[in-house]
Amino acid sequence: MPAGALSRCFSAALARALAGVGASLALVAATAAPTASPQPRVVYEMHTARINQIRATPDLTRLITVSQDKTLRVWRVADLALMRSIAVPSEGGEEGALRSLAITPDGREVIVGGWTGLAWTQGQQAQAYRFDLASGQLRQVYRGFPALIESMAISADGRRLAIGLGGGAGLRVLDWSSGRELWADSEYGERVGFADFSVDGTLATTSADGCLRLYTPQGQLVFRAEYPPRQDGGPACRGSALGGVRFSPDGRQLAFGLQDRVEIVVMDVGSRQFRHRLRVDDPGQRSLCCPNWSADGQRLHMHGAYDGDGPTPLYRITLASGQLDRLSVGRQRFTNVLPLPDGELLVSTTTPSLARIGRDGTVLAEKLPPNIDFQFAWDQWRMDRTGARLSLPVDGPGRDRRIFDVGAPPDRAYTVATSTDEAGLEAPSRGAGLAVEAWLDSFGYQRPVRVAGQPLRLKPFQSVRSWASDKLRAALGTQWSVLVADASARIVWEQDLPAPAYQVHLSRDGRFVVAAVGDGSLRWYDAATGTERLGAFLHVNGRDWIAWRPDGFYASSPGGDEYLGWLVNRGDDQEPDLLRAVQFERSLYRPDLLQAALEAPDVPRSNGNGRAPTLAALSAPRVRITSIDAEARKVAFTVHAGGSPVREIGVYADGIPILGGGSRTVGGASGSFSSTVAIPRGLPLDRIRVEAMSSASFGLDEAAALHPQPATTGRGTLWVVA
């Protein structure tokens, strides 16, 4: 259809005014408290699940990312070094998964939201969290949103915050500083997936109801119409889902994508006429959901769902000439592209990964997770009849295989696989048991799932990613759970997961379901009841690993206990604690208990004082680095002693201890205290780690400087750590 015809269809949309300008956002109390039970988390620098959104601070020095793993992270744009990781209050399942963010104009604070608060209000009200980026402290909770928070945008002047909601709950626009609601639009048929402000304050949204909308800074709806235009005369805004929307830097044009078409549309904002319909010729491209403008407004970068082999393509088109370039970068599906003024790009993916891309498409810096990517062919994963011994590839093609043996001593638990080692190990059963019909990808929810010919009732948008079966049951891995169904397609049990279950296996003795999860963990469940019996994380280097029981006892390789933690909520108005296994090595490192974890349920042995330690009873000093002033070479931090007095403080700059002798001893301090430490000028100053030690455990915090300082030349000091 010609651009003129398209614009005439869109120009027929009628403007309408919005009611409720000046109304206040209802700040309501949560009706239930977050659980205080420790929740196991795999811990490493990169996100452990897909990255949903990225934004840069106004000075372009820091990149903020939010993820399905319920954390936001702060990265240094120059080299993608992690500066800080911040967890939000969360539960098992979806609660805490972050979808959107906005950054204050001064770059000091961030507000994030997603599936946040719904677990504590019976799914009725979501909330957004405002964090200080330097310290990671939770400053404010905005409550009272009637659905999950899908999207956010902040106006160029910093006065208005737009929040797009899910499920047809519409759009809310707040005064940023006070949180007061300025205006709202509840007339949406589906989720508000994307929002963007122009430089003049005009707001654009795209929705899964198929409509593009434009609002004035005062909240008047001046444009609403469905794309593609309806030909049947049916009701408007009942179409297919639109993708991302972005204004050009000068605000004169906007571009939006489609979730189910390989198409990007460019519109002239002033005339409401459509100048370009952009497509690419690649049979593997399923959509072009997301456009992003170059800093000069001359080019568009486009990406979307891709089913082809090899790296995911990122397309760059010069609008004046029509020249189309294909950049093959990143892993799997892009989730965000952020152009920089010099022509470089920051990109995030579902892997998850981050990359900084040069103007010629070369990767200048990249951050990948250290876990095994379990998205290999299903028959590459093999297991013995008891589920205690398994083999799998640590690279996709399966050339480098490893054995993990739960019952082996720690120094022989994670080893290189030989043909002899793999004798008797079998791939998941998909032929002799119950038949499963499912489309195994992220769009699988669009098609029915059947077990033994019977329809399986799943949650909305729940896609199956893996399955295995025997004659009695089928085990299915989805993007947020593992479940077992019987021959009548009745779900017997379902357990939440922090990331997709890319592989699932049933032990031949019928006792266990084992899931291989996107965060790099393996999870063993009792096949009859769904009770979790064991978890493990295997590092992609083929050496480091940790395995743990639900009560917290663990075994690991040397250093492997850095990769496991437990999140402990402190209500929904404070940032939660993240306690790492290494902080409790004296109490919880028990290889003898791990070796028997898959045997009959046992009672944890005593730790020598008549009782067994539990995660709920453990506490560690809480440490927070509040600021790093690299130019003045000073680090400020606070310590809260917790259950036991703090006996010693350790401060490390790039791994080098700063405090020595009597400076390290604090003599059993209780309560809370603050301190500032100077970093000697002869030492480098980049990554800072502060530890506070008590008799049974230690607390820690880590952060990186925005402008790292290298070590000065000259005579050095020899540090010996013994």
Side-chain angles (χ1 to χ4, degrees):
M1 181 181 293
L6 284 172
S7 64
R8 286 192 296 273
C9 290
F10 271 71
S11 296
L14 298 178
R16 58 187 172 84
L18 287 172
V21 176
S24 296
L25 177 67
L27 299 180
V28 298
T31 59
T35 178
S37 300
Q39 304 171 45
R41 294 282 194 272
V42 172
V43 180
Y44 42 74
E45 282 197 356
M46 177 45 68
H47 287 289
T48 60
R50 61 169 285 149
I51 298 171
N52 284 328
Q53 188 63 268
I54 66 175
R55 289 286 184 269
T57 54
D59 61 3
L60 299 178
T61 60
R62 289 163 294 164
L63 178 71
I64 317 301
T65 59
V66 296
S67 167
Q68 204 71 14
D69 69 3
K70 309 174 186 182
T71 69
L72 60 137
R73 307 198 186 204
V74 186
W75 309 84
R76 203 162 52 208
V77 167
D79 57 0
L80 296 183
L82 179 66
M83 299 181 65
R84 180 169 286 283
S85 179
I86 304 170
V88 302
S90 61
E91 303 283 356
E94 287 287 271
E95 178 58 48
L98 299 176
R99 297 172 181 247
S100 55
L101 77 149
I103 301 171
T104 54
D106 60 10
R108 295 183 178 181
E109 294 182 320
V110 63
I111 187 168
V112 298
W115 196 286
T116 43
L118 293 167
W120 309 310
T121 60
Q122 291 76 52
Q124 298 301 307
Q125 294 177 343
Q127 56 200 37
Y129 304 111
R130 188 172 182 173
F131 285 94
D132 178 79
L133 289 176
S135 67
Q137 185 174 4
L138 178 56
R139 298 290 193 189
Q140 188 175 5
V141 181
Y142 298 94
R143 306 184 192 276
F145 301 102
L148 66 89
I149 298 171
E150 292 276 5
S151 55
M152 288 186 185
I154 187 169
S155 60
D157 60 8
R159 296 180 179 179
R160 293 175 298 282
L161 172 69
I163 295 183
L165 303 174
L171 176 72
R172 303 289 186 272
V173 176
L174 313 181
D175 176 79
W176 173 267
S177 58
S178 67
R180 181 175 62 91
E181 185 177 289
L182 299 175
W183 53 271
D185 184 356
S186 298
E187 296 187 28
Y188 279 78
E190 248 292 354
R191 67 185 184 275
V192 184
F194 302 87
D196 192 42
F197 278 102
S198 174
V199 290
D200 66 358
T202 300
L203 174 63
T205 67
T206 48
S207 170
D209 66 12
C211 272
L212 169 72
R213 293 166 172 86
L214 294 179
Y215 303 87
T216 68
Q218 295 74 35
Q220 182 184 11
L221 179 65
V222 294
F223 183 82
R224 183 190 67 180
E226 187 175 314
Y227 187 91
R230 298 188 69 91
Q231 304 298 325
D232 57 6
C237 300
R238 295 295 185 270
S240 57
L242 297 187
V245 61
R246 289 289 181 267
F247 283 100
S248 60
D250 60 10
R252 296 180 179 179
Q253 301 182 87
L254 68 77
F256 65 91
L258 292 93
Q259 300 283 16
D260 59 356
R261 291 169 178 253
V262 185
E263 185 175 357
I264 295 286
V265 180
V266 180
M267 183 178 83
D268 180 87
V269 176
S271 66
R272 310 286 198 265
Q273 292 188 350
F274 288 82
R275 301 300 189 189
H276 306 279
R277 285 177 56 183
L278 308 174
R279 296 176 176 270
V280 296
D281 185 15
D282 187 326
Q285 198 72 45
R286 294 184 58 177
S287 73
L288 281 177
C289 72
C290 304
N292 287 276
W293 295 88
S294 62
D296 59 9
Q298 301 301 309
R299 294 174 299 281
L300 270 175
H301 301 87
M302 310 178 295
H303 64 91
Y306 184 71
D307 281 345
D309 297 328
T312 307
L314 172 66
Y315 303 98
R316 179 177 60 199
I317 186 168
T318 303
L319 294 178
S321 65
Q323 178 181 340
L324 180 68
D325 300 315
R326 176 184 172 129
L327 309 176
S328 296
V329 295
R331 307 293 202 275
Q332 301 172 38
R333 182 183 176 186
F334 290 107
T335 58
N336 264 248
V337 174
L338 182 64
L340 299 176
D342 58 3
E344 295 180 359
L345 302 171
L346 295 170
V347 301
S348 62
T349 76
T350 58
T351 303
S353 68
L354 284 174
R356 183 167 179 165
I357 309 300
R359 299 184 64 176
D360 60 355
T362 58
V363 178
L364 305 177
E366 188 174 30
K367 287 293 183 180
L368 295 167
N371 60 281
I372 297 173
D373 184 355
F374 292 132
Q375 296 182 84
F376 43 70
W378 65 273
D379 58 357
Q380 291 295 303
W381 186 23
R382 297 155 197 167
M383 198 165 67
D384 72 358
R385 67 179 308 275
T386 69
R389 193 163 176 269
L390 53 87
S391 72
L392 71 174
V394 297
D395 64 347
R399 293 184 296 267
D400 186 10
R401 299 184 62 85
R402 290 291 189 275
I403 292 282
F404 183 70
D405 190 341
V406 174
D411 61 339
R412 298 196 297 274
Y414 191 29
T415 58
V416 175
T418 66
S419 57
T420 302
D421 295 327
E422 294 194 281
L425 305 185
E426 294 185 0
S429 173
R430 287 192 174 182
L434 301 180
V436 174
E437 302 171 49
W439 192 265
L440 305 181
D441 70 4
S442 57
F443 292 94
Y445 65 86
Q446 298 175 347
R447 304 190 184 194
V449 177
R450 294 182 175 88
V451 175
Q454 301 298 314
L456 180 69
R457 180 174 295 181
L458 297 174
K459 301 180 183 72
F461 307 108
Q462 186 175 11
S463 297
V464 175
R465 307 306 298 267
S466 57
W467 67 274
S469 68
D470 58 23
K471 294 181 179 180
L472 299 176
R473 65 205 139 202
L476 292 86
T478 79
Q479 79 265 36
W480 59 61
S481 71
V482 60
L483 61 90
V484 162
D486 61 18
S488 63
R490 179 180 64 92
I491 295 178
V492 179
W493 57 261
E494 184 171 10
Q495 293 286 359
D496 295 323
L497 291 172
Y502 290 126
Q503 306 285 352
V504 69
H505 210 313
L506 273 165
S507 64
R508 277 180 290 159
D509 63 7
R511 295 180 61 216
F512 297 108
V513 173
V514 188
V517 188
D519 63 356
S521 67
L522 299 166
R523 310 290 179 105
W524 283 257
Y525 300 93
D526 185 288
T529 66
T531 302
E532 185 170 347
R533 296 288 297 276
L534 185 71
F537 171 76
L538 307 180
H539 199 289
V540 72
N541 64 17
R543 300 184 306 275
D544 293 325
W545 63 275
I546 183 170
W548 63 92
R549 302 186 350 165
D551 55 13
F553 292 112
Y554 73 91
S556 71
S557 62
D561 47 7
E562 291 278 357
Y563 297 103
L564 172 67
W566 293 275
L567 182 138
V568 181
N569 288 317
R570 299 190 294 139
D572 72 339
D573 57 355
Q574 298 184 77
E575 67 280 2
D577 289 328
L578 183 62
L579 306 174
R580 297 188 187 180
V582 67
Q583 297 175 240
F584 306 101
E585 179 183 10
R586 300 175 188 175
S587 303
L588 296 181
Y589 184 75
R590 295 293 299 272
D592 57 320
L593 297 182
L594 261 293
Q595 292 170 16
L598 299 184
E599 298 175 3
D602 62 323
V603 178
R605 301 179 188 178
S606 168
N607 65 354
N609 62 2
R611 63 178 177 85
T614 63
L615 287 173
L618 294 174
S619 63
R622 185 178 299 116
V623 181
R624 185 195 309 280
I625 298 172
T626 56
S627 67
I628 301 174
D629 188 337
E631 285 72 20
R633 305 190 66 83
K634 291 183 178 180
V635 175
F637 60 90
T638 63
V639 177
H640 177 71
S644 301
V646 173
R647 302 172 59 182
E648 194 173 357
I649 297 291
V651 179
Y652 304 84
D654 293 14
I656 300 174
I658 301 304
L659 303 179
S663 300
R664 292 176 57 90
T665 303
V666 296
S670 300
S672 301
F673 57 92
S674 302
S675 183
T676 300
V677 173
I679 308 299
R681 292 200 172 274
L683 301 179
L685 194 165
D686 186 1
R687 298 201 63 82
I688 299 295
R689 179 180 174 115
V690 178
E691 298 179 354
M693 284 144 277
S694 66
S695 58
S697 62
F698 69 91
L700 63 90
D701 192 20
E702 296 176 294
L706 179 58
H707 303 291
Q709 303 292 319
T712 57
T713 58
R715 297 183 61 183
T717 301
L718 174 64
W719 297 84
V720 178
V721 181

